[in-house]
Amino acid sequence: MNYYETVQTALFFLTLLVLLKPMGAYMAGVYQGERTFLSPLLLPCENLIYRICGVERSEEMGWRRYAGAMLLFNLVLFAGLLAMLLLQHLLPLNPQKLPSFSWQLALNTAVSFVTNTNWQAYSGESAVSYFTQAVGLAVHNFVSAATGMAVAIALIRGFARRKSSLIGNFWVDMTRGVLYILLPISLVAALVLVSQGVIQNFSEYKSTPLLQATTYDKPKLDDKGNAIKDAKGNPITENVTVKEVTIPMGPVASQEAIKELGTNGGGFFNANSAHPFENPTPLSHYLQILLILLIPGALTHTFGLMVGNSRQGWALLGVMLLLLIGSFCVLQWAEVNGNPLLAGLGLQGANMEGKELRFGLSGTNLFTVATTGTSCGAVTAMHDSLTPLGGMIPLALMLLGEIVFGGVGSGLYTMLAFAVVAVFVSGLMIGRTPEYLGKKIEVREMWLAMITILTAGIVVLIASGIAMITPAAVASMANPGAHGLSEILYAYASMANNNGSAFAGLGANINFHNILGSLAMLLGRYLPAVAVLAMAGSLGEKKYVPPSLGTLPTDKAPFALWLTLVILVVGALTFFPALSLGPIIEHLTMWGK
Amino acid sequence: MKDLKSSILMFITFTVICGGVYPLAVTGVAYVLFPREAKGSLMADTSGKVTGSSLLGQPFSSPDYFWPRPSATTDFGYNPMGSGGSNAGPTNPDYLKVVGERVKALRATGITGPIPSELVQASASGLDPHISREAARIQIPRVAQTRGISRQDLSKIVDDFTSDRQLGFLGEPRVNVLELNLKLKSLNQRRSSGGN
């Protein structure tokens, strides 16, 4: 890295760390029902929402009712979005007269946005109306994020409370999460993004002349829209001159802000955050990375405060930072080394295929690790075109279970499940009853923790396996050889872990991927979430065991290192064989030639 | 079922707040504070006709213009309706061949030294409006010759359309190809109209 890249990266992490503490404390206040500096403005709105929706704010729920409310709410969200996608052509704010989605694509998209995945098998500028974007997709960016945060907060209450079977009120956690945390930050961030050039309007698409006309071979179509082919089966084309292009418009900034803040990641345009209208300047770029990491990072401090020992939170943050910075370094090294197969051509500089110039190499790489370490999945580089080991980094960050900061809420609760496992394994080694935060870890908690951390991995491996023996899925690969396997593995890793980024060469809009992918997203989201709520319930009922001489201190560096090791071992045991057949073999063949 | 009723009402309430009030509020304030940016940073010529957006690149292949990065947008390069990258993997033989051909095309214009990789590798959006200083520099001899202006003068024009790192340290220095080429065209027009 050159001088400027080092300064940028160092300043970025400094800014992030400075923000985490006040943000974490603010969120702890919000979820504990305290007054905040926004209360004078928001409390009336909050109370009005409770009155409209029939919510009794002081009424607390046991874990079964909390989980039931969460699932019901998500079901209603899913049905609402599905209907909107299927009826897009009848709804307003559709100046381009875009048609409705096919049911398979609508199913996949509705599941994708409700589960906070934002996997996109469509391309925004040519398929989605302003109504669907702003009134449909953007709303789900808020509520799916708030759902994840609510589940994490419920688990924290389970650890913090003693002999109580109540873990909070889902409706109150939802409402406060959206009103006090997501909306105000999005509002400010969206305006800063507009100042940088992110567009925000409801205008029709604009047409503009090209300074120099361009030509291309356009396939000839028959009356039914199928390509006409010659005797040899090659499509017949005609040379077309283009003098004018259409520039898409839309309410982008408002969606961009919550897309990053809620670790959703669904781009307004096909190119996502690489598109100059979504991310025009280096400053907008760094702001987006900051938004991605802000809530997942700050929740570690919220956790520490709510369990009464902020060092417990900092230990988890340390693990996340260690893994994030480690991944960044490997990715940077791989991309700087470039592509040896192009070495004879006299090129200068890093691998720039699928990258934008304005962000710089280190900035682009920082975004890539942030977006895949969290479950965001927005992209500023096309991950498919990264070098093999470079591309393995985002893949591995997802396969670890989205815990390197992780999704809003889901990152923290999955990390806590790993911590429970780490405490249990170390308990076995030293022959003590494992305890975490004064709660005994017993068979039930271990079961629930295993479900939380293993569901996604099992789904990834089985679904990728099925795909590899299905001709339609094999045909959807864009690149030959080991890289094709990486594309499939990446797709299911992304969907099962609710990330949403892609090795985008893959032809994702086929029935096979749409339907199997929907299943992967649903299992990867709701099995762990319900397991976590069950764990919250069972932990809450336990009595507090004061620490003794034999208790493993979980707020110190040795535990953080141990936890890192457990995470890496679980990840390696599950995925090393698959990774060897994809990126690792591609790396070896690339450099061995 | 009390929670079902709450689910439906919450869905409607949040749709109104996050899907109605929020985007409209952002649009309203953005139109007041940053109207040009909110509408796409569009550029217009002296007669007020839109000539493009300063954020979106356009395709150029004629020797008297600076060439931008390769673009993999659908149908044709720099198509704003089909943003995206090539998604070519690093070991894909078709991709390696294409890069080889792009290098050959540049070498044919007389470039002998190292070529900045971004000039032969497609961007992520396919709409990247920028190239590096170095990528502009190696094109100066070609453009200067075809336009009949001195390399020094052209070099100064390139500098005018080069942005430094934002705030002095963020991102990379870069040249906006469309803005630069629009300037070249306006110079020519002025010269030819002056000759009449």
Side-chain angles (χ1 to χ4, degrees), chain A residues 52-65:
Chain A
I52 294 172
C53 301
V55 173
E56 190 59 57
R57 71 175 295 166
S58 57
E59 180 189 28
E60 292 236 344
M61 301 174 176
W63 81 265
R64 285 190 180 79
R65 176 150 177 234

Side-chain angles (χ1 to χ4, degrees), chain A residues 32-54:
Chain A
Q32 288 172 325
E34 293 163 12
R35 274 188 79 82
T36 71
F37 71 102
L38 289 173
S39 293
L41 193 68
L42 293 177
L43 199 60
C45 309
E46 188 189 349
N47 289 332
L48 182 68
I49 293 176
Y50 295 150
R51 208 174 315 139
I52 294 172
C53 301

Side-chain angles (χ1 to χ4, degrees), chain A residues 8 53 65 125 171 196 200-201 211-212 254 270-271 283 339 346 348 350 352-357 385 479 586, chain B residues 3 6 22 27 38 58 61-62 69 83 86-92 115 117 121-122 124-125 128 166 169 185:
Chain A
Q8 283 167 30
C53 301
R65 176 150 177 234
E125 53 267 57
W171 304 120
Q196 294 299 301
Q200 177 72 24
N201 59 59
L211 185 51
Q212 184 206 317
S254 54
N270 189 47
L283 185 62
N339 187 340
Q348 180 188 50
M352 287 301 285
E353 185 69 33
K355 295 194 182 74
E356 299 282 296
L357 189 79
S385 298
N479 287 287
E586 193 188 12
Chain B
D3 284 330
S6 298
Y22 164 69
T27 311
Q58 287 191 5
S61 55
S62 158
R69 301 185 60 186
S83 65
S86 69
N87 289 307
T91 56
N92 187 333
I115 295 174
S117 54
Q121 294 187 315
S125 63
D128 192 344
Q166 201 173 8
F169 69 98
K185 191 188 173 204

Side-chain angles (χ1 to χ4, degrees), chain A residues 156-175:
Chain A
I156 298 175
R157 291 195 186 109
F159 278 113
R161 291 181 177 178
R162 295 163 194 186
K163 293 189 170 181
S164 157
S165 60
L166 301 174
I167 57 171
N169 182 316
F170 176 73
W171 304 120
V172 175
D173 290 342
M174 268 299 306
T175 307

